Amino acid sequence: MRTVVEGGYVVAVDAAGSEHDGGHVVLEEERIVAVGPGPAPAEWREDAEIVDARGALVTPGLVNTHHHLYQWLTRGHAQDAILFDWLTALYPLWSRIDADLTGVAAAGAMAVLARSGCTTVGDHHYVFPRGSGDIVGAIVDAASRIGVRLHATRGSMDLGSSQGGLPPDSAVETTDAALAATQAAVERYHDASPASMVRVAVAPCSPFSVTSDLLRESAAQARALGVRMHTHASETVEEHDFCLERFGRTPTQYLEDLGWLGDDVWMAHAVHLDPDEIVRYAATGTGVAHCPSSNARLAAGIAPVHDLLRAGVPVGLGVDGSASNESGQLGIEIREAVLVNRLRTGSDSFSVRDGLRIATMGGARVLGRASEIGSLEPGKLADVAVWRVDGVEHAGILDPVAALGLGALPPLQRLFVQGRAVVADGVLTTAEEPVLAEQVAAASRELASRL
Ligand SMILES: [Zn+2]
């Protein structure tokens, strides 16, 4: 099985920043075997499917580094709230979720991600009500049906409101139960192989919903299992104040004390970091999932991405959960990142190519997969987006990368995941979108009826 994509504007996002106007990319089985200028060499064309990409922008598939897929069932709530009020409004609904509903939500959210150019889906699930079934398994199954690469993280909460935490006691697990279930999820679903479609990381939720014990023991557990670690950090002023009051430490100092900085860790948000904290992230190789739309919706602030990148911190892009970003489209987060970072640090501080880079190679670094995904280079996995930029939205634009980074989200001619066309001519090939929509609507009603 070989596919030749040729004639498009190819942006490799490799170390050299290679771009080929009218170039080619060749996919064979699950890997990229050739990338370069002009048409593909004759030896690759034999028996190949030829995709005519003239008028298209060809990029690596986008990598999502932070999401809560289950929130696809709870969009549109608490529209004008800041994080803590928004969470408090939604916890009662979320604490009635189960594996079946999560599977429906995940399929809907992943369909929308794929339709916006995303080939690798990072998820963070941290609500596990008693008797809710195999939620991680439901997410793994949904990813397999939609055909995307999954980085599931097994989250947890064990600091209920009776102990000074934010979530109600009904939404949290015990420390031991959370650790045991996390161990089981990694052992059952994590695939460490280079072409892996499913990896699992350890992900206690946040400093205000998790005990110090669970954070410390989760770090030891992840390192014993050889998997990555993920949590929310420095998202809001309120979280910063919570850590100062409760622990006498900033979120970064507190997390570092508990073993939570390192090149096997990535944090969602990292909005409120002072220069010393950025130095600690850089010195330890700790990664960041930048979630501009969610941070704007909750008025959390603008992450210092320009400074993080200049310091050498790995930065990826994330949509965050769909209850704080109802779009759930990763492609448009490139534009959001460009716009908000310019508001923070100036018009020349963050280019459309910077946006594309964090959405691809940056995300690959954050997920520990820089040698496998994130760029168009021979030997990498065949995750490729072919965006039409010759329609009425973009025709005539000076720079095809600006079409993606400043213009409307372009339609996808193809989205390849592991060499398989998951999107073709703007439509998902792996599921019927109207059926998914009906299932999501019914599941949202079912969850609401449980309140
Ligand atoms: Zn989040």
Side-chain angles (χ1 to χ4, degrees):
M1 194 178 87
R2 186 185 299 153
T3 306
V4 171
V5 178
E6 67 181 8
Y9 192 94
V10 177
V11 182
V13 198
D14 56 7
S18 306
E19 299 186 8
H20 309 293
D21 188 0
H24 66 269
V25 181
V26 182
L27 320 180
E28 191 165 59
E29 304 296 340
E30 83 270 17
R31 294 197 183 272
I32 296 167
V33 292
V35 181
E43 78 231 48
W44 295 117
R45 306 177 64 89
E46 214 171 303
D47 301 328
E49 184 206 352
I50 309 286
V51 174
D52 181 354
R54 287 174 296 175
L57 168 71
V58 184
T59 71
L62 308 185
V63 178
N64 189 52
T65 55
H66 187 65
H67 205 327
H68 312 288
L69 295 165
Y70 74 93
Q71 293 179 9
W72 201 250
L73 302 185
T74 61
R75 286 167 292 150
H77 294 252
Q79 293 175 24
D80 304 318
I82 62 167
L83 177 71
F84 279 13
D85 299 336
W86 172 88
L87 284 168
T88 306
L90 280 155
Y91 282 137
L93 199 49
W94 294 343
S95 64
R96 288 161 170 84
I97 197 96
D98 63 24
D100 287 346
L101 294 180
T102 302
V104 173
M110 289 192 281
V112 170
L113 281 167
R115 292 260 275 94
S116 69
C118 174
T119 49
T120 296
V121 174
D123 183 47
H124 183 186
H125 192 102
Y126 54 82
V127 188
F128 294 89
R130 198 163 299 162
S132 54
D134 183 5
I135 285 179
V136 176
I139 295 167
V140 169
D141 179 61
S144 165
R145 279 185 284 130
I146 300 298
V148 291
R149 196 180 304 285
L150 176 67
H151 277 240
T153 72
R154 206 294 181 182
S156 49
M157 301 193 293
D158 71 337
L159 187 64
S161 52
S162 67
Q163 306 300 314
L166 192 69
D169 289 357
S170 61
V172 306
E173 302 172 278
T174 66
T175 310
D176 288 345
L179 286 165
T182 302
Q183 180 94 14
V186 172
E187 287 172 354
R188 184 154 183 198
Y189 297 113
H190 179 68
D191 171 7
S193 68
S196 171
M197 291 294 284
V198 180
R199 289 202 183 156
V200 181
V202 173
C205 186
S206 65
F208 52 84
S209 61
V210 174
T211 63
S212 306
D213 283 347
L214 182 53
L215 279 165
R216 192 184 298 106
E217 289 179 35
S218 294
Q221 177 182 57
R223 286 173 176 138
L225 289 164
V227 298
R228 297 179 79 76
M229 299 154 54
H230 180 47
T231 191
H232 294 92
S234 300
E235 180 174 0
T236 64
V237 170
E238 291 77 16
E239 177 203 328
H240 189 87
D241 292 347
F242 176 94
C243 289
L244 283 180
E245 278 167 30
R246 191 173 169 101
F247 313 115
R249 318 283 279 150
T250 69
T252 303
Q253 290 168 338
Y254 173 61
L255 288 165
E256 182 160 30
D257 287 348
L258 298 172
W260 271 83
L261 294 187
D263 62 5
D264 52 356
V265 181
W266 83 104
M267 307 294 192
H269 306 303
V271 172
H272 297 280
L273 296 181
D274 65 29
D276 291 340
E277 292 176 295
I278 293 174
V279 167
R280 294 310 303 148
Y281 272 55
T284 55
T286 305
V288 168
H290 177 44
C291 304
S293 287
S294 172
N295 295 155
R297 187 195 189 277
L298 298 169
I302 301 169
V305 174
H306 175 74
D307 296 339
L308 288 165
L309 291 173
R310 199 171 47 184
V313 175
V315 179
L317 199 57
V319 293
D320 200 2
S322 19
S324 63
N325 177 5
E326 278 78 354
S327 143
Q329 296 175 297
L330 187 57
I332 69 168
E333 293 301 311
I334 297 173
R335 182 172 182 272
E336 299 297 331
V338 169
L339 298 181
V340 303
N341 282 289
R342 288 174 178 205
L343 285 173
R344 179 170 173 133
T345 42
S347 67
D348 60 352
S349 68
F350 197 85
S351 70
V352 294
R353 283 165 176 78
D354 292 332
L356 178 60
R357 183 167 287 273
I358 68 167
T360 53
M361 265 316 290
R365 282 183 72 196
V366 163
L367 297 182
R369 302 198 71 170
S371 62
E372 296 154 10
I373 58 174
S375 63
L376 302 178
E377 296 179 85
K380 285 218 164 171
L381 297 171
D383 293 1
V384 183
V386 183
W387 313 85
R388 295 305 317 180
V389 291
D390 57 352
V392 70
E393 307 97 318
H394 309 98
I397 194 164
L398 185 63
D399 172 10
V401 183
L404 176 62
L406 291 174
L409 183 67
L412 285 164
Q413 180 177 357
R414 289 284 190 285
L415 184 76
F416 296 98
V417 184
Q418 201 89 321
R420 174 190 188 195
V422 168
V423 178
D425 300 325
V427 178
L428 206 62
T429 65
T430 50
E432 297 286 339
E433 292 180 21
V435 174
L436 288 177
E438 272 178 35
Q439 291 170 338
V440 167
S444 299
R445 282 193 301 271
E446 165 61 23
L447 182 59
S449 77
R450 295 180 182 181
L451 261 185

